[in-house]
Amino acid sequence: MNTEKIILGIDPGTTIMGFGLIKVVNKKMEFLQLNELQLQKYDDPYIKLKLIFERTIELIDTFHPDEIAIEAPFFGKNVQSMLKLGRAQGVAMAAGLSRDIPVTEYSPKKIKMAITGNGNASKEQVARMLQSLLTLKTLPKNLDATDGLAAAVCHFYNSGKTVSGKSYTGWAAFVKQNPKKVK
């Protein structure tokens, strides 16, 4: 039986949003695309969020992914940076959920561990391993795109396993799992 699905991976950010897409056919990965959304030239944070939402919807409408994997924000010392990153992540998640696509979050360490076997691997190590796994000819200058692709590959490797990240199948599931976040 031929089974096929498309996974969209997203590395959210308010400066650069990286994304990658893979197709899974009979439990084998095929590379589809990786790219990034450049947001540096925009000063208004709400315009950035709007562009993240619109680009995610555009990717969904173009590639029709069956699942979305997104890198969860890491916990840093700068609260403002965390807030901005969380908003970017939330907007990308909302785009997927608005189209009833299941969304799963993975920590940066889990993604690095899935790709390289080392949860403390550098972006460059992750990119080189993806290049080898998916036979990519070249790597992008900015590695945000490979981080998005890494989220998709991590999700593929974790398919069928119990995932420690949070997963939502739509707005109803999100509301049910997060009653205190919704009024």
Side-chain angles (χ1 to χ4, degrees):
M1 187 165 88
N2 187 13
T3 57
E4 187 176 300
K5 72 177 170 181
I6 294 175
I7 302 170
L8 168 61
I10 299 174
D11 176 27
T14 55
T15 305
I16 300 172
M17 177 184 90
F19 58 89
L21 289 126
I22 58 170
K23 183 196 278 188
V24 179
V25 180
N26 295 326
K27 299 184 180 181
K28 289 190 177 188
M29 285 187 292
E30 294 177 17
F31 169 74
L32 290 179
Q33 185 185 53
L34 80 155
N35 210 332
E36 53 199 26
L37 173 62
Q38 296 285 336
L39 298 161
Q40 301 95 317
K41 62 185 172 189
Y42 303 98
D43 293 327
D44 185 335
Y46 300 107
I47 295 294
K48 290 180 180 189
L49 294 175
K50 178 180 180 278
L51 292 169
I52 291 167
F53 184 85
E54 289 173 348
R55 182 63 174 132
T56 305
I57 289 291
E58 182 184 333
L59 289 166
I60 290 166
D61 290 348
T62 302
F63 291 96
H64 309 287
D66 300 287
E67 299 167 2
I68 295 174
I70 192 161
E71 185 173 308
F74 58 91
F75 297 99
K77 293 180 183 175
N78 187 330
V79 176
Q80 286 301 315
S81 294
M82 283 288 300
L83 180 60
K84 290 175 185 174
L85 193 56
R87 286 177 176 168
Q89 181 196 30
V91 166
M93 291 170 75
L97 293 171
S98 75
R99 294 289 204 266
D100 294 319
I101 300 170
V103 176
T104 305
E105 300 178 73
Y106 294 95
S107 72
K109 274 190 180 288
K110 182 155 183 120
I111 293 171
K112 291 174 182 180
M113 180 65 89
I115 306 303
T116 69
N118 176 2
N120 296 314
S122 68
K123 281 179 170 275
E124 292 77 16
Q125 289 171 313
V126 170
R128 282 194 300 275
M129 184 59 82
L130 287 170
Q131 187 174 25
S132 174
L133 285 169
L134 298 167
T135 58
L136 305 175
K137 291 183 177 108
T138 59
L139 290 174
K141 185 176 74 169
N142 296 319
L143 298 181
D144 299 274
T146 52
D147 286 350
L149 184 61
V153 173
C154 173
H155 187 67
F156 165 71
Y157 285 150
N158 284 281
S159 292
K161 298 179 186 173
T162 302
V163 177
S164 61
K166 295 179 184 171
S167 183
Y168 309 109
T169 56
W171 282 115
F174 178 83
V175 170
K176 186 176 180 181
Q177 292 178 34
N178 298 281
K180 293 180 181 175
K181 292 184 179 181
V182 181
K183 290 187 179 184

